[in-house]
Amino acid sequence: MQPYALTVDKFLDHAAKWWGRREIVTAEAGRVGYAELRARSNRLSGAFKALGLRFGDRIGTLAWNTQHHIEIYYGAMGAGFVCHTLNPRLTISHLAAMVNEAEDRMLMVGAGLAGIARDLALRCPCIETVVFLDGEAPQWEMSGDCRTFAFEALLQKYGAQTRWGDFDEGAAAGLCYTSGTTGAPKGVLYTHRSTYLHTLRSLQADAIALTPADSVLVAVPLFHVNGWGFSFAGPAVGAKLVLPGRYTDGARLAKLIREEDVTIAAGVQTIWLGLLDHLDATGEEVPTLKRVIIGGSRCPDALIQRMEERLQARVQTSWGMTELSPLGTVAPAHGSERAVASGRPPMGLDLKLTDAGGRTLAQQRNVSGHLKVKGASVVSRYFKAENDVLDAEGYFDTGDLAMIDDDGNLTITGRSKDLIKSGGEWINPGEIERIVGRLPGVGQVAVIGRADPKWGERPILIVELQKSHTLDEEALLDALRGNVADWWIPDEVIQVADMPLAATGKIDKNRLCAEYARA
Amino acid sequence: MQPYALTVDKFLDHAAKWWGRREIVTAEAGRVGYAELRARSNRLSGAFKALGLRFGDRIGTLAWNTQHHIEIYYGAMGAGFVCHTLNPRLTISHLAAMVNEAEDRMLMVGAGLAGIARDLALRCPCIETVVFLDGEAPQWEMSGDCRTFAFEALLQKYGAQTRWGDFDEGAAAGLCYTSGTTGAPKGVLYTHRSTYLHTLRSLQADAIALTPADSVLVAVPLFHVNGWGFSFAGPAVGAKLVLPGRYTDGARLAKLIREEDVTIAAGVQTIWLGLLDHLDATGEEVPTLKRVIIGGSRCPDALIQRMEERLQARVQTSWGMTELSPLGTVAPAHGSERAVASGRPPMGLDLKLTDAGGRTLAQQRNVSGHLKVKGASVVSRYFKAENDVLDAEGYFDTGDLAMIDDDGNLTITGRSKDLIKSGGEWINPGEIERIVGRLPGVGQVAVIGRADPKWGERPILIVELQKSHTLDEEALLDALRGNVADWWIPDEVIQVADMPLAATGKIDKNRLCAEYARA
């Protein structure tokens, strides 16, 4: 059969040829068809070359979900450069460590982020060029030899048609660091092949399943694991992409959904809480919406139900990781089956459950085990690390504890490093969180281990209630009795007004432990 | 990212793990779950090894759509052997030429095909073993050293658990010869990679789009281009597969659709004509059917409309070729858009239209050109051929003439070798056939060139009417006037009771030319 490298530029080529007038819309900015987006992105590759970038060089982005960001994805990857997305909500020292390790030669900076960029440029001598996106003009003189451009001026001055692809599918395409909620951030270097195959995997009719008839609200940040791949899946099938830009509050999202006839919306649960609260407050409706895909941490059943009822849309829960590109499992897109836990793995990812020693459990259903995965879009070695992180059978340890039901639905029951050792036995905080999280009035919930002179550790329960609810501590603990072992019942309930979240929206257990875990 | 070879055994592994109880049903035979199918197929690999087959060896199949045939697919491919499907409707000499070129060491023989197999074994010294499927016992003694087995006895005696995969994705998996309607048959050797990627391509939500909620009637012969890939796509998503076995008449298909709650049915148009005639005659209904996928030659609009109305199902027209694995284009699976022509190419296949000299046409829409294709599942060199069949840009010449409309829908307007040269100018028979084929009462239609002393060639029109219709020759020709150039109007109309079909169900123009094309 033909040699045919699986490179991601082919997605935008396909869109330009077959869906040239389908649009990418940026909130409060403008719209462009795939044919023009392709032409602009391709000319951007020429500008990157003119500025001296060489095959494999990294380009950092510190940017929101806008057209310019997608153009950078393709302008970089199409010509063999690596798009290194950075999360603007991280601390400067985290960001600087990432930029320096990645040796980013350029930094692309979105609206309102010039200050962070300036600090980064000072700390990162590798940055030679800073480019301001979204219509912002360079706001300050850079020190030394660092050049600055406005995006459109760069494109106009140096843009040139460039040959895309034409290299091995094993070439690097993207770089993203893990969130670092549970340790030092580690870089995951995606290849063209891994990204291409991840896209085809997500396009399966029972997975993310975009079609040309869809208008897709990408409320997932493009800086977070390739924005779950929508910038590839959209062009691959000619779906319309709707980008919220910098702000993702409920009012703005509701407006976008209505104005752009959004049929599918994707984002973490906090985003959807904001949308629901806005709709409840205003009485607005979002009638075109058919499906909502939820990523990030596990979604409480009560929230799923609230979304289904208020949005009259199908909810697809999912589970993924930076190391998985990120799609692991997802609830079905169609059919009579409602979302259960985090759904099943679409074809292309192998899962197994092992014991703590790495031995595959004989029984893979209805028991909790350490979750290991294998696939063409799964990390084998972190960026610049010396060693692979795979077991003897080639599986990656997710660090998650999980259970799979009879129908194959995956429930993440906790993180192996969150396990609490009490009296020599393990308590899984995740199972307690799941039960309490289902109770009416409960918003976010976390269980952490507190040092205990007698037992080693004892669990404590930290809870943030939904607005206008009050706490009955005993009711929370009563709900656990009979559902977990007695000695799993937390010793204390602590109520917080705002659960501390890490930059990715997940609960920041490091901060909780620092604050509450000492005896 | 991880090394992860794209080998087809992973489809059945996935099905066994996640959809172990979903069934493969064979008409009038039985049913098996994917977990058991996987175990049996894997043991079959062991039997192949025990009989001395080595990596890359070919196994011929002369068989219908039954469970055994699917087990042979996986039993062969999983262990690195090549499944060489043979069309029982070809002549013995065609078949013998294929078996000898492929050097098939085993021949797997379906119900009622023992006679052909015996003749083949006599003509093909490479055949060492003949295996009888579908419950048939060996019916005769083979000469010399050729062994014979009944399938189940072979499995019981030599079956053994075997390690699958674990080889390069570039390894050969399947072999299929082109139909030979327009020249000598040529072998296309599919690799694991090409087949895996073809499967993911077809699974896209707007393409073939199977889901676990589907029950799929595979009325496409498994001996024809991997049965369009349903034996891979089904297990990949856990769809139920319904196999009609040896007979595909309307009555049997209607019964299967009703008894097995079929939601998607795939086959060539003659199959669906049989189903429609049966339903019309009996008044039966097929209420579970949602989609019908039509392959093979272009489907007349009148038939599409009749199917939509009578079956109350969505019709997906398509275009494909043995050399393309075979999916080229397909009409959308969902949305408000009805099937237009042969639909669009799902992501993963590049198309271009060129002139006769191979130059890409500047305008790719609304003009007829020579259709060239490129992709990971497209042939580059025929089996055992010395040279690639690609142009300078790596495209394969389909031999088809085609036009693409503004929405991207492909219409095959003819075969380049069917073009009729009249007075030094080209007439495209396909365009005439399309117009006449739309007329009420017209069944099959073909235009061929007849040698003409003055013009070189002149077109003649050959037509088979639908039952209980009579012919008004002038009305047929009148329909052409104004729609094609005057000198394209055929010189003669010939009515036939039965249009001659090649073994694949396409009109056999070679036979028509032999019969009618001499002056």
Side-chain angles (χ1 to χ4, degrees), chain A residues 2 17 169 193 365 378, chain B residues 2 17 193 351 365 378:
Chain A
Q2 293 186 4
K17 235 174 162 173
E169 67 192 40
R193 174 183 164 100
R365 293 289 187 271
V378 179
Chain B
Q2 294 186 2
K17 235 174 163 173
R193 173 182 164 102
L351 306 184
R365 293 291 188 270
V378 179

Side-chain angles (χ1 to χ4, degrees), chain A residues 242-258:
Chain A
V242 180
L243 307 174
R246 184 173 178 182
Y247 303 104
T248 54
D249 55 281
R252 283 190 175 85
L253 293 185
K255 185 162 177 277
L256 270 181
I257 292 171
R258 281 199 315 275

Side-chain angles (χ1 to χ4, degrees), chain A residues 1-6 10-11 14 17-19 21 169 188-191 193-194 196-197 200-201 203-206 209-213 236-237 323-325 334-335 337 344-352 364-365 373-380 390 394-396 404 406-409, chain B residues 1-6 10-11 14 17-19 21 169 188-191 193-194 196-197 200-201 203-206 209-213 236-237 323-325 334-335 337 344-352 364-365 373-380 390 394-396 404 406-409:
Chain A
M1 306 306 277
Q2 293 186 4
Y4 187 85
L6 307 178
K10 292 187 164 77
F11 295 132
H14 183 82
K17 235 174 162 173
W18 300 97
W19 306 101
R21 292 187 297 265
E169 67 192 40
V188 179
L189 190 67
Y190 306 110
T191 64
R193 174 183 164 100
S194 72
Y196 190 105
L197 290 172
L200 282 190
R201 196 169 158 255
L203 287 175
Q204 290 175 49
D206 215 33
L210 306 188
T211 76
V237 301
E323 289 90 337
L324 272 63
S325 297
H334 299 288
E337 196 188 352
R344 282 177 289 253
M347 178 67 213
L349 186 76
D350 303 339
L351 306 185
K352 69 175 178 186
Q364 293 278 306
R365 293 289 187 271
V373 297
K374 192 176 183 174
S377 308
V378 179
V379 73
S380 59
L390 309 182
Y395 281 74
F396 165 72
I404 300 168
D406 283 330
D407 294 324
N409 292 295
Chain B
M1 307 306 276
Q2 294 186 2
Y4 187 85
L6 308 178
K10 292 187 163 80
F11 295 132
H14 182 83
K17 235 174 163 173
W18 301 98
W19 306 102
R21 292 187 298 266
E169 68 193 39
V188 179
L189 190 67
Y190 306 110
T191 64
R193 173 182 164 102
S194 72
Y196 190 106
L197 290 171
L200 283 190
R201 193 167 161 256
L203 287 176
Q204 290 175 47
D206 216 32
L210 305 188
T211 76
V237 301
E323 289 89 338
L324 271 64
S325 299
H334 299 288
E337 195 188 352
R344 282 177 289 252
M347 178 67 212
L349 186 77
D350 304 338
L351 306 184
K352 69 175 179 185
Q364 293 278 307
R365 293 291 188 270
V373 297
K374 193 175 184 174
S377 308
V378 179
V379 73
S380 59
L390 309 182
Y395 282 74
F396 165 72
I404 300 169
D406 283 329
D407 294 324
N409 293 296

Side-chain angles (χ1 to χ4, degrees), chain B residues 287-304:
Chain B
T288 56
L289 196 62
K290 288 184 188 150
R291 285 196 277 139
V292 178
I293 304 164
I294 308 186
S297 45
R298 198 183 48 71
C299 189
D301 293 342
L303 176 58
I304 296 179

Side-chain angles (χ1 to χ4, degrees), chain A residues 218-486:
Chain A
V218 186
V220 192
L222 287 175
F223 58 72
H224 190 215
V225 212
N226 291 319
W228 300 357
F230 287 100
S231 17
F232 306 113
V237 301
K240 175 178 171 182
L241 292 183
V242 180
L243 307 174
R246 184 173 178 182
Y247 303 104
T248 54
D249 55 281
R252 283 190 175 85
L253 293 185
K255 185 162 177 277
L256 270 181
I257 292 171
R258 281 199 315 275
E259 288 180 353
E260 302 299 338
D261 296 324
V262 166
T263 57
I264 299 177
V268 294
Q269 55 175 289
T270 44
I271 295 280
W272 306 126
L273 278 170
L275 176 66
L276 288 170
D277 288 344
H278 171 80
L279 295 179
D280 283 349
T282 61
E284 289 171 20
E285 300 294 336
V286 283
T288 56
L289 196 61
K290 287 184 189 150
R291 285 196 276 140
V292 177
I293 304 165
I294 308 185
S297 44
R298 198 182 49 72
C299 188
D301 293 341
L303 177 57
I304 296 179
Q305 204 177 336
R306 187 176 165 213
M307 291 179 72
E308 287 174 337
E309 285 170 9
R310 184 63 184 88
L311 303 177
Q312 288 293 302
R314 186 182 189 90
V315 173
Q316 286 182 270
T317 49
S318 69
W319 162 75
M321 295 179 81
T322 306
E323 289 90 337
L324 272 63
S325 297
L327 180 65
T329 61
V330 62
H334 299 288
S336 55
E337 196 188 352
R338 281 189 57 215
V340 175
S342 296
R344 282 177 289 253
M347 178 67 213
L349 186 76
D350 303 339
L351 306 185
K352 69 175 178 186
L353 298 177
T354 74
D355 64 17
R359 284 170 296 270
T360 301
L361 298 177
Q363 176 55 265
Q364 293 278 306
R365 293 289 187 271
N366 300 310
V367 289
S368 195
H370 294 254
L371 180 61
K372 315 286 171 73
V373 297
K374 192 176 183 174
S377 308
V378 179
V379 73
S380 59
R381 178 183 301 198
Y382 288 104
F383 184 59
K384 291 198 174 171
E386 279 187 12
N387 297 311
D388 279 357
V389 285
L390 309 182
D391 71 11
E393 288 183 314
Y395 281 74
F396 165 72
D397 184 351
T398 64
D400 281 322
L401 302 167
M403 194 183 289
I404 300 168
D405 72 13
D406 283 330
D407 294 324
N409 292 295
L410 183 88
T411 300
I412 298 294
T413 58
R415 293 284 297 169
S416 55
K417 63 175 54 177
D418 290 340
L419 286 173
I420 297 166
K421 200 165 197 174
S422 182
E425 301 281 344
W426 294 108
I427 294 171
N428 183 351
E431 295 188 30
I432 302 172
E433 291 161 2
R434 189 154 51 110
I435 295 167
V436 174
R438 277 200 211 112
L439 301 176
V442 171
Q444 308 251 32
V445 54
V447 172
I448 59 172
R450 180 161 64 188
D452 185 279
K454 182 169 176 192
W455 302 103
E457 284 187 303
R458 285 297 300 153
I460 59 171
L461 176 67
I462 298 163
V463 64
E464 173 196 323
L465 297 183
Q466 288 173 20
K467 279 176 197 162
S468 75
H469 280 81
T470 53
L471 179 71
D472 179 345
E473 294 190 5
E474 270 314 301
L476 296 187
L477 299 181
D478 278 348
L480 292 170
R481 287 182 227 283
N483 288 311
V484 299
D486 279 350

Side-chain angles (χ1 to χ4, degrees), chain B residues 133-155:
Chain B
L133 317 178
D134 309 333
E136 305 237 328
Q139 294 174 4
W140 27 264
E141 290 293 311
M142 293 300 303
S143 59
D145 296 334
C146 188
R147 293 165 292 189
T148 63
F149 293 96
F151 185 91
E152 293 295 338
L154 173 73
L155 200 56

Side-chain angles (χ1 to χ4, degrees), chain B residues 42-183:
Chain B
N42 185 267
R43 288 175 55 77
L44 182 61
S45 296
F48 289 151
K49 284 194 172 171
L51 292 183
L53 289 200
R54 291 180 306 267
F55 185 81
D57 279 350
R58 269 79 65 190
I59 297 167
T61 69
L62 194 70
W64 313 113
N65 285 21
T66 66
Q67 176 187 326
H68 281 173
H69 206 168
I70 301 229
E71 288 168 350
I72 296 162
Y73 265 57
Y74 282 100
M77 298 179 190
F81 310 121
V82 178
C83 181
H84 172 205
T85 51
L86 293 155
N87 181 344
R89 299 200 185 95
L90 295 175
T91 63
I92 287 287
S93 50
H94 266 111
L95 288 170
M98 293 169 177
V99 169
N100 282 324
E101 183 174 273
E103 300 171 89
D104 295 333
R105 295 182 59 192
M106 296 184 75
L107 187 64
M108 318 295 283
V109 184
L113 298 170
I116 303 178
R118 175 174 218 168
D119 289 350
L120 272 182
L122 289 172
R123 293 191 191 206
C124 306
C126 52
I127 298 177
E128 300 163 5
T129 310
V130 176
V131 179
F132 294 89
L133 317 178
D134 309 333
E136 305 237 328
Q139 294 174 4
W140 27 264
E141 290 293 311
M142 293 300 303
S143 59
D145 296 334
C146 188
R147 293 165 292 189
T148 63
F149 293 96
F151 185 91
E152 293 295 338
L154 173 73
L155 200 56
Q156 196 160 10
K157 186 162 182 190
Y158 293 105
Q161 213 178 319
T162 305
R163 189 174 176 84
W164 270 359
D166 227 8
F167 43 75
D168 189 86
E169 68 193 39
L175 176 64
C176 185
Y177 280 78
T178 59
S179 61
T181 45
T182 53

Side-chain angles (χ1 to χ4, degrees), chain B residues 439-519:
Chain B
L439 300 176
V442 170
Q444 307 252 31
V445 55
V447 172
I448 58 173
R450 181 161 64 188
D452 185 279
K454 181 170 176 193
W455 302 105
E457 284 187 301
R458 286 297 300 153
I460 60 171
L461 176 67
I462 299 164
V463 64
E464 174 195 323
L465 296 184
Q466 289 174 19
K467 279 173 195 165
S468 76
H469 280 83
T470 53
L471 178 72
D472 180 344
E473 294 189 4
E474 269 315 301
L476 297 186
L477 299 181
D478 278 348
L480 293 170
R481 289 183 225 284
N483 289 310
V484 299
D486 279 348
W487 57 277
W488 282 35
I489 309 282
D491 281 5
E492 189 183 344
V493 178
I494 297 173
Q495 188 178 0
V496 295
D498 286 296
M499 189 67 79
L501 301 180
T504 54
K506 293 183 193 168
I507 293 175
D508 189 342
K509 285 209 169 177
N510 288 341
R511 270 178 64 191
L512 287 179
C513 286
E515 206 155 335
Y516 301 109
R518 291 194 191 99

